[in-house]
Amino acid sequence: MSPIRQNLQAITATIIATAQESGRSPESVQLLAVSKTFGPEAVLEAVAAGQRAFGENYLQEALDKIGAVQRAGAPALDWHFIGPIQSNKTRPIAEHFSWVHTVEREKIAQRLSEQRPAGMAPLNICLQVNISGEASKSGVTPDEVAALAHKVAALPNLRLRGLMAIPEPAGEFAQQRAPFARLRALYEQLRADGLALDTLSMGMSADLRAAVFEGATIVRVGSAIFGARNYNKA
Ligand SMILES: *Cc1c(COP(=O)(O)O)cnc(C)c1O
């Protein structure tokens, strides 16, 4: 069995076991395979193992890979953009992805909405929240998330689905859970405010169990599926 298939099976088993342990339905957690820095062959291997949702951080690399995977005859895949967004790069994102997890400014959301091609389904959006309050990290502050959420929810070609965060790495389970619990509280508050959200994008290879315990509906897993990334882009 290929290592990628084996890793996908192991991660899926962990997600199922953790969901059950925390009283959740395993189907409520979607696995996003983060394929950044890995080539189209790795994606095709994951596709052969049944994976359909992939996350990418770097636009040009992603566009090349999406094209190569399509030319190789893969079935329809869901591509999620999970990297930082430059405002002059929004058009290809709006044209080639079905989700964007990293919206943190109204201007970017407006451009994505304007540039979403007619005839495509609305682009699914998560707002990235700087949940650990690190000065260097991207994301809207918890104080500002409600105002941004209401603006983004009003844009015509977007569908605001929820919140995303990348907390500061923490070794211990309880410390891993704390920022995810804060993100979930923000999400619940927005829902109570009338926004129809259904997505909490949180948890990566090192902290996915903590994220599932706190209600993650999408976990973004890279190295635990594809192996260690061999260059230091991320
Ligand atoms: C790289 C990346 C991941 C995956 O990280 P791993 O630790 O390899 O699982 C998830 N989310 C984002 C936003 C990333 O940039």
Side-chain angles (χ1 to χ4, degrees), residues 34 36 57 82 164 166 204-205 220-223 229:
V34 177
K36 64 173 175 224
N57 292 55
I82 63 171
M164 176 273 210
I166 312 171
M204 319 201 304
S205 295
R220 309 177 311 269
V221 178
S223 47
R229 287 181 287 276

Side-chain angles (χ1 to χ4, degrees), residues 82-124:
I82 63 171
I85 307 170
Q86 294 167 261
S87 58
N88 62 342
K89 300 281 177 60
T90 49
R91 185 178 296 280
I93 295 176
E95 290 174 348
H96 291 95
F97 288 81
S98 48
W99 285 73
V100 178
H101 292 227
T102 41
V103 169
E104 55 178 1
R105 287 192 284 145
E106 185 186 7
K107 181 183 161 205
I108 296 286
Q110 276 168 346
R111 291 176 66 95
L112 290 170
S113 179
E114 283 162 18
Q115 294 167 344
R116 183 68 166 169
M120 283 181 90
L123 183 58
N124 296 295

Side-chain angles (χ1 to χ4, degrees), residues 167-179:
E168 223 170 5
E172 301 214 358
F173 194 64
Q175 287 169 356
Q176 290 180 349
R177 282 181 69 164

